[in-house]
Amino acid sequence: MAEQYTFTVNGKCVSTSKQTSMLRFLRDELHLHSVKDGCSEGACGACMILVDGKPTRACVLKTQRAVGKEIVTVEGLTDHEKEAFVYEFGVSGSVQCGFCTPGMVISAAGLLRQSPDPSDEEIKTAIRGNLCRCTGYRKIIECIRLAGQVLRGEKKIDYEPEQEDYGRVGTRTFRVDVRKKVLGTGKYPDDIEIEDVWQNLNRAYGLEEDVPYRRRSRELESAASLPEGLEMSQERAALARRDGSIYDGNAENRSDVYGFDASAMAYASCVRAAYPRAIVRKIDLSEARQVPGVIGILTAADVPHNKVGHIQQDWDVMIAEGDTTRMVGDAICLVVAENRDALEEAKKLVHVDYEVLEPVRNIDEARRPDAPKIHEAGNLCQSRHVTRGDARRALKASKYTVTETFETPFTEHAFLEPECAVAFPYKDGVKILSTDQGAYDTRREVAIMFGWDPKRVVVENQLIGGGFGGKEDVSAQHIAALAAWTYKRAVKVHFSRQESINFHPKRHAMKATFTLGCDEHGKFTGLDCEIFFDTGAYASLCGPVLERACTHAVGPYTYQNTDIRGYGYYTNNPPAGAFRGFGVTQSEFALECVIDLLAKKAGLSPWEIRFRNAIEPGLVLPNGQIADGSTALKETLLAVRDVFEKNSGHAGIACAMKNAGVGVGLPDKGRARLQVEKGDVVIYSAASDIGQGCLTVFCQDVAEITGLPMSRIRNAVSNTENAPDSGTTSGSRQTLLTGEAVRGAGRKLREALDAADGKLSRLEGQAFSYVYFEPTDKLGAAKPNPKSHIAYAYATNVAVLDDEGRVTDIYAAYDAGRVINPLSIEGQIEGGVLMSMGYGVTEDFPLKDCVPKARFGTLGLLRATQIPEIHAIMVHHEPKEGEIETAFGAKGIGEITAIPAAPAIAGAYYELDGKLRTKLPLEDTYYRKKQK
């Protein structure tokens, strides 16, 4: 008989003979989903549990080492602890994507149980093992401090904020998803089990809403748990029965209703290429297919159309025999199995015969005339030429000019939730429960792979554990759908962290040369620059990102002579695509550094030269667009002038602008439908909330326009079948475009309410839809003043160093229009600024012969003990009388937060020691010594 390992989980005795990590045991056997799988490498802290009162990473603790220990997860905290954390995480604005939150709660609980009144430094130390990519940690630290007050009895919980009856535009509103994210009860795709698939199908087919089954996670929430001695297998099988229904535990009945084998979840994963460039001579699946539990193995031959891609369909679903790999993330085959053990065993038994070829490592190699062609059309993926006026003549006539060359690296998004999707047969196609930034985009790409009408693919986003642009391309979704359709099963695909790092698109690495000129008064005269992007193995969003890098390379200033050439090249590196800032992080870093050099030549302070050239309402941007009345760049400069001057000699400054909406002549629409259901207003919108809080914003919009309490407004479980296409969560567009669509639908509802004497019950079943579309002009439009984008946000950051070169403070002033939810926007600023700081001083993505050498714990992600003080400052131009503000005047904040801090820090080092640093991450600093 196998040895039994016995320990206590949430107050109950549990035994197992499995030798596995506690992460897998708690999730797979006990179904405790607050314990998140963020990396399984001991780096992220998303799987934190209390072991004998000490916060411990569940992924590194084995069951055999847990014998006799007392384990507590979020489910097992006291009710008082749970409510304290829900309340304080909500009122402090500490929740964004939420994937790291349960792990943070555990670390906080462990601290507060031992030290009820900790200092901020003690809190930082306690959570240094927990990574957060969204918040910047400041609000989490505040939350833990305040939760301590509640647990000590010094402060009472006020439930009114969570009830949200007072939420309106401009109020500090408790996010609508706080409770389920804090307690770990919300569902990310990796939390989906077969019972959740049943529930989803029952809702879709109009069957019973609630499937009565027992979850050990629910049982273990209190001391009144499973009866002593109940075996795990018995508990799993003990489905509650309803006579004559499909819920009687009979798999055949259930399969008859759903039209496929819905008895259990299947699991799928790809065998990935061992080399970035190699001919696949032979794929031997014979041994792998013999592994018990293997359902089947798919190759390129099984894919109806073996190309996908967000814009350009150049990305192979799988590499066929005889074809050449383009990166180490390429899929060779897809193994589908009944369980994870069989899946991993079979993957090891897939044998691939390669003919290894020399890879194309960088832009310089890709540009060579004799370079191997990564794609048939050549290595130039995309190019852009943005010009206005006569830059050459203007620079020649300039009093001062500066020319410098800059380099920036690939950057990993490092969202805390790795890619995951669950797919199953649905009607005449498939349904995908996903975690991506655009449900309709995923639908389109999956339909391309199948060669189907897109309506046969239904995509429904679950909770999304961060994105930052890295979840715009399909990753797990299409291969899960392929397996589900082929084998008529519900299939889960979950990426390992290293698989995620190797596969998904990064921020583009850049090499660029900038020349900027000014007159004797420091007024900019012209800009010439040449930008080269490494887009890696596949295009992803190379074209739009390159275009945005070029159009925004001019900065938020007013001058009219520009010549910007941009080129994106294929290499055998991991692909590059969208990343928060969308190319502007790279080009603005270069421009702002050049401005500092030009200021020195012109005898002006870095603040003064920027203020003299700053755009303001009525003036013309370098692209020809006339700045609208909301433009408040100068106000952001004024907001930080005193602190910059006070810290002269060890402070740097940088400005930025970022568009809201896709713009440049592309059809970009916001869509929403409000429906009255059971006395509530339900918002239908396929917009992805990746942590930015747009679902809360939409509720605030409806409350503002209708006067209804927030408690009567909720978001639907939206998908591509029941909700309108609200566009991609990209380009800082959801608050503005979909927000205006929600407002438009809300106006219609308000009119109907007025006609119904304010009685919502009279409108039961009625729907109110609205589409918002504001045309823009295409790039290079033959107009003197084209409208490239519907709105721009503006920013100025000041970074302050101490004598050791440590960043102590960042003053971050933003014009993002009217603030809908101050609580959320502060968190967005703090998180974006810290991300930009990491980009500037610590984060790197080392490659050797195109193979990533970083693991999650070595990416240089900043932790709570490394953060500076971040001072969020908001400015806003009030509208003139009679001026109508779209989306209540909001312009979006998501991307611009991540742009100016890096160049501001570079400027601070330049002021401190006079050394110009032209490469990121900055070398010879407190954070990173000069590389030999």
Side-chain angles (χ1 to χ4, degrees), residues 329-589:
D330 275 332
I332 302 299
C333 64
L334 179 65
V335 181
V336 188
E338 296 286 359
N339 56 70
R340 290 185 176 88
D341 291 341
L343 180 64
E344 292 307 314
E345 184 181 351
K347 286 175 65 177
K348 293 174 185 176
L349 294 174
V350 172
H351 303 294
V352 185
D353 180 20
Y354 295 98
E355 180 184 334
V356 180
L357 304 173
E358 192 77 9
V360 179
R361 299 171 182 83
N362 52 50
I363 296 166
D364 292 338
E365 291 185 7
R367 295 179 66 195
R368 292 175 184 168
D370 60 345
K373 289 185 178 182
I374 295 169
H375 292 271
E376 288 184 10
N379 292 341
L380 180 62
C381 176
Q382 289 284 325
S383 64
R384 295 291 187 275
H385 189 194
V386 179
T387 183
R388 184 175 172 86
D390 192 334
R392 180 177 295 183
R393 178 180 293 180
L395 289 169
K396 187 175 182 181
S398 298
K399 177 70 174 179
Y400 306 106
T401 61
V402 170
T403 300
E404 283 292 343
T405 298
F406 299 87
E407 292 185 38
T408 64
F410 288 108
T411 317
E412 162 65 28
H413 298 78
F415 33 73
L416 265 290
E417 177 209 23
E419 296 86 345
C420 185
V422 173
F424 46 88
Y426 179 67
K427 297 182 179 178
D428 64 343
V430 292
K431 191 170 191 177
I432 305 168
L433 308 182
S434 183
T435 172
D436 55 36
Q437 294 183 223
Y440 275 85
D441 292 335
T442 295
R443 182 181 83 157
R444 177 178 53 81
E445 285 198 63
V446 173
I448 288 171
M449 179 190 71
F450 280 120
W452 288 352
D453 183 321
K455 291 181 180 179
R456 292 178 65 183
V457 180
V458 177
V459 180
E460 180 177 297
N461 263 330
Q462 309 303 291
L463 291 181
I464 303 167
F468 314 114
K471 292 179 179 175
E472 291 196 33
D473 302 83
V474 291
S475 53
Q477 303 95 325
H478 60 312
I479 55 178
L482 180 66
W485 180 253
T486 302
Y487 298 111
K488 300 299 184 284
R489 293 287 298 273
V491 178
K492 178 184 287 186
V493 173
H494 178 264
F495 279 20
S496 72
R497 178 55 69 174
Q498 198 61 44
E499 185 178 16
S500 173
I501 287 173
N502 291 352
F503 176 85
H504 80 250
K506 315 297 173 217
R507 177 181 281 140
H508 289 81
M510 179 195 78
K511 288 186 176 181
T513 299
F514 276 59
T515 299
L516 182 66
C518 70
D519 63 19
E520 63 273 20
H521 304 295
K523 294 285 287 183
F524 299 154
T525 52
L527 173 73
D528 179 275
C529 63
E530 195 162 50
I531 298 171
F532 294 93
F533 270 4
D534 185 338
T535 203
Y538 299 103
S540 182
L541 280 88
C542 178
V545 176
L546 179 66
E547 184 171 286
R548 209 59 59 244
C550 292
T551 58
H552 285 55
V554 295
Y557 306 108
T558 177
Y559 59 105
Q560 300 302 308
N561 298 293
T562 59
D563 193 330
I564 303 146
R565 294 148 333 262
Y567 309 92
Y569 280 90
Y570 289 118
T571 66
N572 289 120
N573 292 318
F579 195 133
R580 193 178 200 175
F582 213 76
V584 184
T585 45
Q586 297 97 306
S587 59
E588 285 278 275
F589 165 70

Side-chain angles (χ1 to χ4, degrees), residues 174 280 354 397 406 488 526 554 682 685 770 800-801:
F174 199 103
V280 177
Y354 295 98
F406 299 87
K488 300 299 184 284
V554 295
V682 183
S685 162
Y770 192 85
V800 180
L801 306 178

Side-chain angles (χ1 to χ4, degrees), residues 21 160 264 351 396 476 518 592 633 662 705 921:
S21 72
E160 186 177 351
H351 303 294
K396 187 175 182 181
C518 70
E592 292 295 310
L633 175 63
V662 175
I705 201 73

